[in-house]
């Protein structure tokens, strides 16, 4: 029976991912690993964690090889993912988002993991003109969060040169949509919350910025596909 480890499963995306995977695959052994900062922040009547076979609580900075042994697939979601937090606590962002993430990938490869999926971000392209970005467009990370994603991507490419493990990097747009652990600081979710609660939408800029959006359920589909089906070029 195949086994999948979701690192950072108790967050906004991870909660949707867990439910989605169990809904389409009853047989896979599904394990979550998280610090548990938001474990009790449930915004649905049923916890998504009931879909798991096992939940592990641990800081990703303290993971060792034995923590990653025995898994066929690993999805890495864990990160400090809020730009204000990243800019205020840049060293913590680097230690978690960058150093720990690359350590996990190296340990996963050593432990025999078959496929490793990293959740990156299109924020690495930064500001630019109004033309749509292609995957090979120049990168211009402006925040500690975006810079950490670029550094991890580069590190993963180095690891992939010698590792037998397949590595997939997914550069996601800004997430939106309902989750059992809802984030209302994301731009579209913030608009919806204010429309419902305050009967108005507050635009916190001059209205000129634009960005791509992706529903969190579509993120879940992409992550599961990449971890169990995709074969990177």
């Amino acid at each position: 029976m195949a086994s999948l480890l979701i690192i950072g499963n108790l967050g906004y995306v991870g909660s949707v991912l867990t439910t989605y995977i169990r809904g389409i695959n009853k047989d896979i052994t599904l394990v979550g690993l998280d610090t548990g900062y938001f474990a009790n922040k449930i915004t649905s009547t049923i916890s998504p964690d009931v879909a798991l076979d096992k939940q592990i609580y641990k800081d990703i900075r303290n993971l060792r090889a034995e923590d990653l042994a025995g898994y066929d697939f690993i999805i890495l979601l864990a990160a400090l993912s809020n730009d204000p937090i990243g800019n205020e606590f840049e060293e913590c962002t680097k230690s978690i988002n960058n150093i720990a993430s690359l350590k996990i990938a190296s340990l996963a490869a050593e432990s025999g993991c078959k496929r490793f999926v990293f959740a990156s971000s299109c924020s690495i392209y930064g500001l630019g003109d109004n033309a749509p970005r292609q995957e090979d467009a120049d990168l211009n990370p402006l925040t500690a969060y975006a810079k950490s994603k670029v550094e991890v991507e580069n590190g993963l490419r180095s690891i992939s040169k010698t590792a037998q493990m397949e590595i997939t990097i997914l550069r996601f747009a800004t997430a939106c949509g309902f989750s059992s652990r809802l984030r209302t600081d994301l731009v579209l979710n913030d608009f919806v919350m204010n429309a419902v609660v305050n009967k108005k939408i507050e635009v916190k800029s001059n209205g000129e910025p634009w960005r791509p959006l992706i529903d969190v359920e579509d993120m879940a589909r992409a992550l599961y596909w990449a971890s169990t089906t995709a074969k990177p070029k």
Side-chain angles (χ1 to χ4, degrees), residues 180-195:
S180 295
R181 290 184 174 89
L182 188 62
R183 280 182 60 179
T184 56
D185 60 313
L186 299 169
V187 60
L188 186 57
N189 292 357
D190 176 69
F191 285 171
V192 173
M193 179 192 69
N194 276 291

Side-chain angles (χ1 to χ4, degrees), residues 16-189:
V16 175
L17 177 61
T18 300
T19 302
Y20 172 76
I21 293 175
R22 184 55 75 207
I24 64 171
N25 191 332
K26 305 296 184 184
D27 297 323
I28 195 168
T29 298
L30 192 56
V31 179
L33 189 152
D34 201 290
T35 56
Y37 290 151
F38 304 103
N40 64 344
K41 305 302 180 183
I42 302 294
T43 48
S44 62
T45 55
I46 300 176
S47 171
D49 311 335
V50 299
L52 294 168
D53 292 291
K54 182 180 180 181
Q55 176 67 55
I56 300 169
Y57 293 97
K58 197 164 188 177
D59 190 316
I60 66 169
R61 291 170 290 186
N62 300 325
L63 293 185
R64 297 175 295 180
E66 52 263 39
D67 296 312
L68 304 177
Y71 298 105
D72 298 295
F73 319 120
I74 294 177
I75 298 174
L76 178 56
L77 300 175
L80 291 181
S81 59
N82 181 287
D83 284 341
I85 290 176
N87 293 333
E88 180 72 19
F89 302 100
E90 193 163 348
E91 287 304 312
C92 285
T93 298
K94 184 177 181 65
S95 67
I96 294 172
N97 294 17
N98 182 2
I99 298 172
S101 294
L102 290 176
K103 177 184 176 184
I104 287 170
S106 294
L107 292 176
E110 295 171 8
S111 301
C113 176
K114 298 175 183 176
R115 290 177 184 159
F116 184 91
V117 181
F118 175 66
S120 189
S121 169
C122 66
S123 65
I124 63 178
Y125 296 109
L127 296 175
D129 54 32
N130 291 328
R133 288 291 182 273
Q134 300 296 324
E135 187 172 335
D136 58 355
D138 291 338
L139 305 183
N140 183 30
L142 301 176
T143 64
Y145 171 72
K147 291 174 183 176
S148 73
K149 293 296 186 182
V150 172
E151 291 170 356
V152 174
E153 285 195 15
N154 291 337
L156 289 175
R157 291 189 185 93
S158 296
I159 293 172
S160 68
K161 293 177 181 178
T162 57
Q164 297 298 312
M165 177 177 71
E166 293 180 353
I167 298 175
T168 301
I169 298 168
L170 298 176
R171 292 176 180 170
F172 286 114
T174 300
C176 61
F178 183 76
S179 167
S180 295
R181 290 184 174 89
L182 188 62
R183 280 182 60 179
T184 56
D185 60 313
L186 299 169
V187 60
L188 186 57
N189 292 357

Side-chain angles (χ1 to χ4, degrees), residues 1-20:
M1 182 181 296
S3 57
L4 189 156
L5 173 66
I6 305 173
I7 301 177
N9 69 294
L10 297 178
Y12 174 67
V13 177
S15 297
V16 175
L17 177 61
T18 300
T19 302
Y20 172 76

